[in-house]
Amino acid sequence: MISRFSRVTSSGSYMPEIDGLRFVAIMAVLLYHAHILFFANAIPQTINFPMSWDWLNFAIGQGWFGVQVFFVISGFVLALPFAGHYLEERKPVNLKTYYSRRMVRIGFPYLIALTLGLLFALGEGMPLVDSLQRYGAGMLYSHGLFYQGSLNPILFVSWTLEIEIQFYLLAPLLCKVFKLRSFALRAIILLSSILLFQKLSGQLNHYFPSDIWPHSIVGQLQFFLAGLLLGDLYLSFWKSKPSSSCSAWAFDVIGVASWLFIPFALKINGSHSWLAYLLLIAFTCVLRGRLLKSLLSQPLVATLGGMCYSIYLFHGAILYFLHYNFIIPIFGVHKGNWPINLVPLAALILLTLLGCSVAYYFIERPSMRWGSKKASAGPSQP
């Protein structure tokens, strides 16, 4: 049954732990958006002793970091074919195939989601002219540019897809760093660039305050660069040399601590300056550990992770529909009633995943097949 929902890949180089990381990212985002529906007050911004349910509420309330996890994954995935060409003398990436495959793979589900969002917005009374303008900006993957970084009201998650497209356009140029023969030089350039772009976006936002900086590639490039560095490390060292038993367990321990620490680290002053580095550590531990890699490679986890794009596109509408039409009538939800609300929250998450799996099967999976036909000369996607 699970195999019928498995992701269609463009080559045989499948890494299930990467889909496992996609699972971590999408569940963080899904829990974050679902959790809001059960709050009586604002999400806690601090944690207090003694321990209470506010600890869990606080951790889930930082689930937006799943977006940055997606960006690191994209950097890693796109690094592999370009770095493979420059470092291992594989065949060069066919840029025409590279771009066309991504337009098919990403564009078709996005078009469906954006169009459904338009119809829903019109049904809710959004002015026709404004709706069509927002729809047109979304079709160009440029809503943030046209509307100063504001979220698109007909598909509020589309801002991250616009950033992904911006990265896809830049990736062939950024991957020129792999032409350098010295790994040490490549690592220094990428590590310093992560810090540089983090500082740059902060300075731009300080002198020219606007939501456009965090909602564009300018404010998020450091996470893609972290993925490029991970791809370099993987091809240069890790792929051909698995971790020893002792070091694998050490990576597992550090990795569990890193992933659990991330939600709390986000509230430390200045954490945005080193979040990309923390994700570097967390990803390294998955790729080099044994237990973490095994857990994230489990068929159900990897399959759900492979469905992350459909879950991300459609979860918002499905969440709200199910919550107000099924969850509240069945459970009689009272906001702020913890831990009782964990039951309807779990039910809402499961039903949303089921709804999104239908969208994946009938919308996204066919586009994967169409895209894979264009991938023979393009980059593989683990």
Side-chain angles (χ1 to χ4, degrees), residues 7 67 95 134 138 140 152 198 205 216 228 271 276 288 303 316 354:
R7 197 162 55 85
V67 169
L95 293 183
R134 303 276 186 165
L140 296 174
N152 193 334
Q198 175 57 51
N205 199 47
S216 71
L228 295 186
S271 64
R288 298 297 286 164
T303 298
L354 286 174

Side-chain angles (χ1 to χ4, degrees), residues 126-332:
M126 186 174 180
L128 176 61
V129 173
D130 188 30
S131 298
L132 291 176
Q133 288 175 339
R134 303 276 186 165
Y135 181 77
M139 286 287 290
L140 296 174
Y141 297 96
S142 301
H143 183 276
L145 298 178
F146 286 121
Y147 289 90
Q148 294 297 307
S150 65
L151 303 185
N152 193 334
I154 67 174
L155 188 62
F156 67 92
V157 298
S158 63
W159 69 275
T160 65
L161 305 179
E162 294 177 8
I163 294 175
E164 290 273 0
I165 293 297
Q166 293 164 20
F167 174 66
Y168 294 159
L169 294 173
L170 290 174
L173 177 62
L174 294 173
C175 287
K176 295 291 185 183
V177 69
F178 299 125
K179 295 180 72 173
L180 299 172
R181 305 313 299 175
S182 168
F183 168 78
L185 182 56
R186 297 194 303 270
I188 290 172
I189 290 173
L190 289 170
L191 286 169
S192 58
S193 295
I194 290 171
L195 180 61
L196 172 65
F197 277 97
Q198 175 57 51
K199 295 298 183 182
L200 174 63
S201 63
Q203 290 298 308
L204 287 171
N205 199 47
H206 176 74
Y207 290 105
F208 309 99
S210 173
D211 286 338
I212 198 170
W213 306 124
H215 290 158
S216 71
I217 191 68
V218 175
Q220 305 293 336
L221 184 58
Q222 63 268 26
F223 300 104
F224 294 101
L225 294 175
L228 295 186
L229 179 56
L230 284 166
D232 195 344
L233 286 164
Y234 178 77
L235 288 183
S236 299
F237 303 103
W238 302 340
K239 184 179 179 181
S240 59
K241 188 178 181 182
S243 300
S244 66
S245 178
C246 183
S247 61
W249 282 109
F251 280 119
D252 286 329
V253 172
I254 297 172
V256 170
S258 298
W259 286 105
L260 292 177
F261 177 60
I262 288 174
F264 301 94
L266 297 176
K267 288 303 177 182
I268 299 175
N269 288 336
S271 64
H272 291 280
S273 297
W274 45 266
L275 177 58
Y277 297 113
L278 180 56
L279 287 173
L280 263 174
I281 295 172
F283 270 68
T284 296
C285 292
V286 170
L287 294 171
R288 298 297 286 164
R290 181 168 298 175
L291 177 62
L292 280 175
K293 181 184 291 187
S294 176
L295 288 174
L296 293 178
S297 298
Q298 294 301 306
L300 181 59
V301 172
T303 298
L304 287 172
M307 295 163 51
C308 65
Y309 185 43
S310 290
I311 299 172
Y312 191 74
L313 281 176
F314 297 103
H315 78 275
I318 295 176
L319 271 178
Y320 279 89
F321 175 80
L322 291 173
H323 181 70
Y324 291 107
N325 291 279
F326 290 93
I327 299 300
I328 289 180
I330 293 173
F331 293 96

Side-chain angles (χ1 to χ4, degrees), residues 84-96:
H85 167 59
Y86 292 121
L87 303 179
E88 299 180 344
E89 298 184 349
R90 299 182 199 168
K91 65 181 180 181
V93 175
N94 184 310
L95 293 183
K96 181 180 178 181

